[in-house]
Amino acid sequence: LSESLELSDKYGAAFEYNDFFQPEVYCDEKEVEKRIEVYKSLPRDRSKDTLHGAFLDLSIASKDAYIRKYSREKMEQSVKIAVELGVKGVIFHTGLIGGLEVETYIGNWLQEAESVIRCLLAKYPTIEIYMENTFEKSPVNLLKLKERLKDIDRFSLCLDYGHACLTETSEELWVEEMADAIGHIHLNDNDLKSDLHLVPGKGMIDMVHFKNLLDTYHIKVPVLLEITDIDDQKQALKYMNTL
């Protein structure tokens, strides 16, 4: 943490807390509280930070009522932690099965996703929510959700550019179609085959093209370098500043 604080100070970078997306963490209330207290004790402003919400094993549109209830509870728990930490927003995955474009399946997901997001934003008025593309082949369904929630300015989309580059839809089309709906970006590099979370510039993604797309579509939102190792983070920040 001391190294992360130093790096944050050097670059004026915010944090995204990834400690709370694993379901098993929520089974241990003492562990959750310990992690929260550690972050609250750090001498820094957390108001620009974000938190990655629970996503593994969650299915808000499940036909199983118990799984739906469990999924909603875990999402709310993520938001409660974000409120306690004093961060600005929470990122959730869609939970959609990539490529499954059955109309009833997508329609049910849209209905449930809209419902849970509306409930959470109404109940927790200080928090923003971002929905991230994961296994989707195009931004179509994310944009449908954004349209349903267009009356709420605290909901927007998180473009995971690495995920987008693994689809058959061009990265330019992802950015062009999502441009007005993007509130947050996740970025790392890969080999255009697997989600490797490499340091930008170490894989096959054209990062200059990424920067040019942001400029072309006038996108000015926080970009999270979604990389775990501290030395890799240092390399990534240094490289991104050359752009």
Side-chain angles (χ1 to χ4, degrees), residues 226-239:
E226 201 174 33
I227 301 160
T228 303
D229 182 78
I230 189 73
D231 291 327
D232 287 347
Q233 290 170 2
K234 291 176 181 177
Q235 289 184 46
L237 284 162
K238 185 176 182 180
Y239 172 79

Side-chain angles (χ1 to χ4, degrees), residues 17-111:
Y17 304 95
N18 275 2
D19 296 53
F20 305 101
F21 71 75
Q22 299 278 16
E24 60 265 30
V25 173
Y26 294 94
C27 297
D28 187 341
E29 291 184 12
K30 289 184 178 180
E31 179 63 23
V32 169
E33 287 303 317
K34 184 182 81 171
R35 295 182 187 203
I36 290 171
E37 291 308 313
V38 166
Y39 286 127
K40 287 172 69 174
S41 71
L42 300 180
R44 62 187 308 279
D45 175 16
R46 298 185 301 279
S47 64
K48 294 182 180 179
D49 294 348
T50 47
L51 180 145
H52 204 312
F55 71 87
L56 289 173
D57 303 324
L58 302 192
S59 178
I60 56 174
S62 173
K63 292 292 186 181
D64 186 317
Y66 178 82
I67 294 174
R68 285 200 309 276
K69 181 174 181 289
Y70 173 84
S71 299
R72 281 176 173 256
E73 287 173 351
K74 290 296 164 268
M75 289 178 72
E76 181 167 9
Q77 201 166 353
S78 296
V79 173
K80 284 181 177 178
I81 291 169
V83 170
E84 190 166 352
L85 284 172
V87 304
K88 71 171 187 175
V90 182
I91 295 88
F92 290 113
H93 286 196
T94 65
L96 283 169
I97 300 171
L100 182 57
E101 292 296 326
V102 178
E103 187 174 344
T104 53
Y105 172 69
I106 298 300
N108 187 49
W109 175 79
L110 287 169
Q111 180 176 315

Side-chain angles (χ1 to χ4, degrees), residues 82-141:
V83 170
E84 190 166 352
L85 284 172
V87 304
K88 71 171 187 175
V90 182
I91 295 88
F92 290 113
H93 286 196
T94 65
L96 283 169
I97 300 171
L100 182 57
E101 292 296 326
V102 178
E103 187 174 344
T104 53
Y105 172 69
I106 298 300
N108 187 49
W109 175 79
L110 287 169
Q111 180 176 315
E112 294 296 330
E114 179 185 358
S115 172
V116 68
I117 290 168
R118 282 191 183 278
C119 288
L120 290 173
L121 291 176
K123 192 170 181 179
Y124 302 96
T126 64
I127 288 294
E128 298 177 12
I129 289 179
Y130 313 93
M131 189 65 80
E132 175 187 345
N133 60 297
T134 320
F135 303 117
E136 297 76 34
K137 292 186 175 182
S138 80
V140 170
N141 294 320

